[in-house]
């Protein structure tokens, strides 16, 4: 694990410190709250990017932890030329690609069922059938996303799942915006095909009328018939 090293002098931004630079300066001054803000603010972005590269939940979490340690060890090199999110994301991608190269020669790690790529806003008070349907959609999207080739999957995760702009994604991956656009178009085409292949055979089961809705209608009709 990388050792945290504090530089003798903190960096200065060209036209005054930005919010990211100020946050980094606080972290360099060993403010625990600054480290916590950096981590909690970027956790989801970094996890999704790592997961998009390695397609393994447990390994993605480990990559993000290692990336944080590498980043904090070289925090003095951050000068605000790009956003802190982009700077951290590049470290995560480099770490993830390194793991991917190593993994090709080893046995893949087991999946962590607790981790997810996309989080639907599931409400515990919602109809259980609706919640189950959302989880099934989530599983379909995750499997379809995992089926994308690496160069398309990472672009899709950054642009669609995490919502980065075309320019931010290009900067993150070190490619031209036109390349991002082309890869994203291809990713969407492949994703639609993967979803069509999986969803098509089960369309006959669409719009079920069961569970709470069935019981609610049954009780309503029985009341109107005078049985309740």
């Amino acid at each position: 694990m990388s050792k945290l090293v504090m530089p003798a002098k903190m960096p200065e931004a060209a036209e005054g410190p930005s919010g990211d630079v100020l946050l980094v300066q606080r972290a360099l001054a060993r403010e625990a709250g600054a480290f916590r803000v950096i981590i909690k603010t970027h956790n989801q972005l970094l996890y999704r990017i790592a997961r998009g590269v390695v397609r393994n939940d447990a390994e993605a979490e480990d990559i993000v932890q290692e990336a944080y340690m590498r980043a904090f060890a070289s925090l003095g090199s951050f000068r605000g030329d790009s956003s802190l999110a982009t700077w951290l994301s590049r470290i995560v991608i480099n770490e993830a690609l390194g793991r991917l190269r190593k993994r090709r020669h080893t046995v893949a790690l087991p999946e962590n069922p607790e981790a997810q790529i996309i989080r639907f806003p599931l409400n515990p008070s919602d109809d259980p059938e609706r919640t189950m349907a959302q989880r099934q959609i989530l599983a379909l999207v995750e499997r379809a996303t995992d089926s994308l080739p690496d160069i398309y999957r990472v672009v899709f995760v950054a642009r669609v799942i995490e919502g980065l702009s075309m320019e931010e994604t290009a900067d993150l991956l070190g490619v031209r915006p036109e390349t991002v656009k082309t890869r994203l178009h291809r990713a969407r085409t492949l994703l639609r095909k993967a979803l069509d292949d999986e969803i098509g055979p089960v369309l006959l089961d669409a719009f079920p009328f069961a569970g709470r809705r069935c019981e609610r209608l049954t009780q309503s009709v029985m009341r109107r018939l005078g049985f309740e």
Side-chain angles (χ1 to χ4, degrees):
M1 184 175 291
S2 303
K3 183 178 179 182
L4 189 62
V5 179
M6 297 297 130
K9 186 177 181 180
M10 292 184 291
E12 296 180 357
E15 299 180 0
S18 66
D20 282 346
V21 172
L22 289 173
L23 184 60
V24 167
Q25 289 176 349
R26 288 174 52 201
L28 290 171
R30 299 293 293 158
E31 287 189 31
F35 285 103
R36 185 176 295 275
V37 169
I38 291 173
I39 294 170
K40 295 190 72 173
T41 299
H42 299 95
N43 265 347
Q44 180 167 280
L45 165 66
L46 301 183
Y47 170 75
R48 284 174 167 173
I49 289 175
R51 178 61 173 74
V53 174
V54 300
R55 292 185 290 182
N56 183 285
D57 301 327
E59 190 172 12
E61 292 182 11
D62 187 57
I63 285 169
V64 173
Q65 290 186 45
E66 281 301 309
Y68 276 132
M69 297 310 300
R70 291 178 184 274
F72 292 151
S74 58
L75 207 53
S77 67
F78 177 78
R79 299 186 178 280
D81 298 327
S82 59
S83 70
L84 185 57
T86 299
W87 187 75
L88 290 169
S89 296
R90 288 189 187 124
I91 297 174
V92 166
I93 283 183
N94 288 334
E95 178 72 18
L97 291 176
R99 297 291 188 92
L100 200 59
R101 286 190 291 269
K102 292 179 181 177
R103 197 214 288 174
R104 290 184 181 129
H105 305 288
T106 59
V107 178
L109 295 177
E111 291 287 332
N112 177 1
E114 297 301 322
Q116 297 175 333
I117 300 176
I118 311 169
R119 297 181 183 276
F120 280 84
L122 301 178
N123 187 341
S125 64
D126 283 347
D127 189 324
E129 292 176 35
R130 181 182 181 86
T131 300
M132 179 61 69
Q134 288 178 325
R135 294 192 186 279
Q136 290 172 342
I137 293 171
L138 170 61
L140 286 173
V141 173
E142 287 182 343
R143 287 198 296 272
T145 302
D146 278 352
S147 72
L148 294 174
D150 294 348
I151 61 171
Y152 303 131
R153 188 175 63 254
V154 176
V155 168
F156 181 80
V157 169
R159 283 284 289 121
V160 178
I161 296 180
E162 195 51 44
L164 299 184
S165 70
M166 197 76 72
E167 291 72 21
E168 288 172 329
T169 305
D171 185 32
L172 174 63
L173 300 177
V175 298
R176 297 181 304 166
E178 293 80 8
T179 302
V180 172
K181 185 176 181 180
T182 300
R183 291 180 182 179
L184 180 60
H185 176 74
R186 180 59 176 162
R188 283 173 166 160
T189 300
L190 293 172
L191 194 63
R192 280 195 295 269
K193 183 181 185 306
L195 288 172
D196 286 344
D197 290 345
E198 189 158 5
I199 293 175
V202 298
L203 283 181
L204 290 177
D205 294 328
F207 307 110
F209 198 87
R212 282 188 176 184
R213 288 185 298 169
C214 178
E215 183 63 24
R216 186 168 56 246
L217 186 143
T218 302
Q219 290 180 356
S220 177
V221 172
M222 292 296 287
R223 281 195 300 270
R224 294 182 66 178
L225 292 173
F227 290 106
E228 294 186 22

